[in-house]
Amino acid sequence: MTDAWSTLPEAFCARAAQLLPPAALHAFKQAFAHQPPMAVRWNGPGPLPDDVLGALATAGVAPRPMSWFADGVHCDTGDRSMVRALPVHADGTLVLQAASSMFAALCVEAQPGEDVLDVCAAPGGKTALLHRSMQGRGRLVANDLSRARIARLRDQLEALHVDGVQILTGDGVSLARDLPECFDRVLVDAPCSGEGRWHVGQPHDWQSWSLSTVRGLAKRQRTLLKAATDMVRPGGVIVYSTCTLAPEENEGVVADACKDGRLTIDPITPVSEAMVPGVCRWGDVSWPDAMAGTCRIHHGVDGFTGFFVARLRRT
Ligand SMILES: C[S@@+](CC[C@H](N)C(=O)[O-])C[C@H]1O[C@@H](n2cnc3c(N)ncnc32)[C@H](O)[C@@H]1O
């Protein structure tokens, strides 16, 4: 385990040790070196059937229903191929989706009949869950900058029998010019350094990591969140999420967005021991106490992958 960890950039390891309490750092290292946490979501009609839980148990993935989401199940052992082999996965009624990803989409609290925008949507995992929360009623717009990833989103939505989503391909920042104050809720699942999903088997994911990459991403994230602020209606909700640990890309971006007084932090209630308050201090920078209402999710704890979620309300 120690060997695997030492393959990561030294500066990242030092930052993780500074940011994470010892037990969370240990869990991160375990998940990094062994098995990233796995979870599934029921996508069929009605509540999750008992026989699906039975099929998951027989497949050997140790299903553990989520206390906070009736359609979600942590899978504590095994690997993704065991789920993919099940007929319920093949027909799109059971979806592999990270628990943190489900949690972020649920924090949007999208309601039937609302206007909802997913700014950075591809490949569409969260879009599909937003659609389910909206019971297919209302206007759901899924946008992404990447044409190739939008193609994957189309395929995924089709495989999951999700229809009626308006799909756009473009820069989320420019979108704000055409769609000012048009949405009740906006999800910004931002492009990020992805530290929370690094795994020893995928070295490509961290080979280009550097502090300057983190800072560059933070700049891009700030412009996306500013655009989302322009697109949500007064009283509306923005959820900002990343799958990274870096405070510059998380609390730093949220603090910047709240500076002009148009957004306030709507505190997130933790649902697991994996969830801890956002940090109010990093290095020589400090942020308002309200930042503790954002949510960091520890990687490898209680079946979650590393994530950050903030819910913001437009004044
Ligand atoms: C973390 S991924 C989104 C994952 C997706 N929400 C899901 O749950 O499946 C971030 C996405 O942001 C997109 N992206 C990057 N810059 C963007 C921009 N300026 N406008 C819109 N999308 C952008 C990337 O192409 C990438 O698909």
Side-chain angles (χ1 to χ4, degrees), residues 18-306:
Q18 202 181 333
L19 197 55
L20 301 175
L25 183 62
H26 178 73
F28 192 119
K29 290 181 181 181
Q30 290 278 355
F32 173 72
H34 300 289
Q35 179 71 23
M38 174 169 80
V40 292
R41 170 172 80 74
W42 176 243
N43 185 47
L48 171 70
D50 285 343
D51 62 349
V52 170
L53 282 177
L56 287 165
T58 306
V61 298
R64 176 170 56 95
M66 292 172 182
S67 57
W68 47 277
F69 182 34
D71 287 342
V73 181
H74 294 287
C75 299
D76 287 334
T77 59
D79 61 44
R80 283 148 182 82
S81 65
M82 294 164 161
V83 173
R84 289 196 185 105
L86 296 172
V88 275
H89 180 268
D91 71 15
T93 48
L94 192 71
V95 192
L96 275 161
Q97 185 168 28
S100 300
S101 185
M102 295 183 209
F103 182 74
L106 291 176
C107 282
V108 178
E109 295 178 341
Q111 306 294 321
E114 288 187 329
D115 297 320
V116 179
L117 169 65
D118 189 352
V119 184
C120 302
K126 295 182 192 67
T127 309
L129 184 44
L130 293 173
H131 183 270
R132 190 167 171 92
S133 300
M134 294 169 73
Q135 299 167 18
R137 302 207 306 273
R139 179 187 184 209
L140 176 56
V141 180
N143 174 75
D144 201 277
L145 181 64
S146 159
R147 238 166 238 293
R149 287 175 67 91
I150 278 288
R152 284 176 58 199
L153 174 138
R154 283 186 197 281
D155 290 348
Q156 171 153 220
L157 295 186
E158 191 182 340
L160 301 185
H161 317 287
V162 172
D163 50 25
V165 177
Q166 185 184 344
I167 298 173
L168 303 176
T169 310
D171 181 0
V173 178
S174 328
L175 209 58
R177 280 200 298 266
D178 300 328
L179 299 169
E181 297 190 353
C182 282
F183 296 96
D184 301 300
R185 295 171 199 268
V186 178
L187 172 61
V188 184
D189 187 36
C192 70
S193 53
E195 298 164 355
R197 55 176 175 73
W198 287 352
H199 185 251
V200 69
Q202 291 163 322
H204 180 73
D205 288 351
W206 70 80
Q207 270 158 358
S208 59
W209 184 93
S210 71
L211 267 181
S212 70
T213 317
V214 165
R215 291 188 189 117
L217 282 160
K219 218 166 156 185
R220 196 160 154 201
Q221 291 151 352
R222 285 199 291 266
T223 58
L224 279 163
L225 190 47
K226 157 96 178 44
T229 310
D230 294 338
M231 288 189 278
V232 75
R233 295 182 178 123
V237 166
I238 297 176
V239 167
Y240 174 78
S241 58
T242 73
C243 58
T244 201
L245 274 66
E248 296 86 342
E249 297 181 55
N250 294 328
E251 292 89 345
V253 173
V254 170
D256 180 77
C258 292
K259 259 196 324 222
D260 70 4
R262 287 194 299 161
L263 293 178
T264 56
I265 294 172
D266 188 10
I268 290 175
T269 306
V271 298
S272 159
E273 57 173 316
M275 299 181 184
V276 296
V279 296
C280 297
R281 193 175 186 85
W282 176 243
D284 53 7
V285 184
S286 53
W287 296 301
D289 292 349
M291 202 55 74
T294 65
C295 179
R296 287 187 157 262
I297 308 183
H298 287 319
H299 188 52
V301 177
D302 192 25
F304 286 84
T305 48

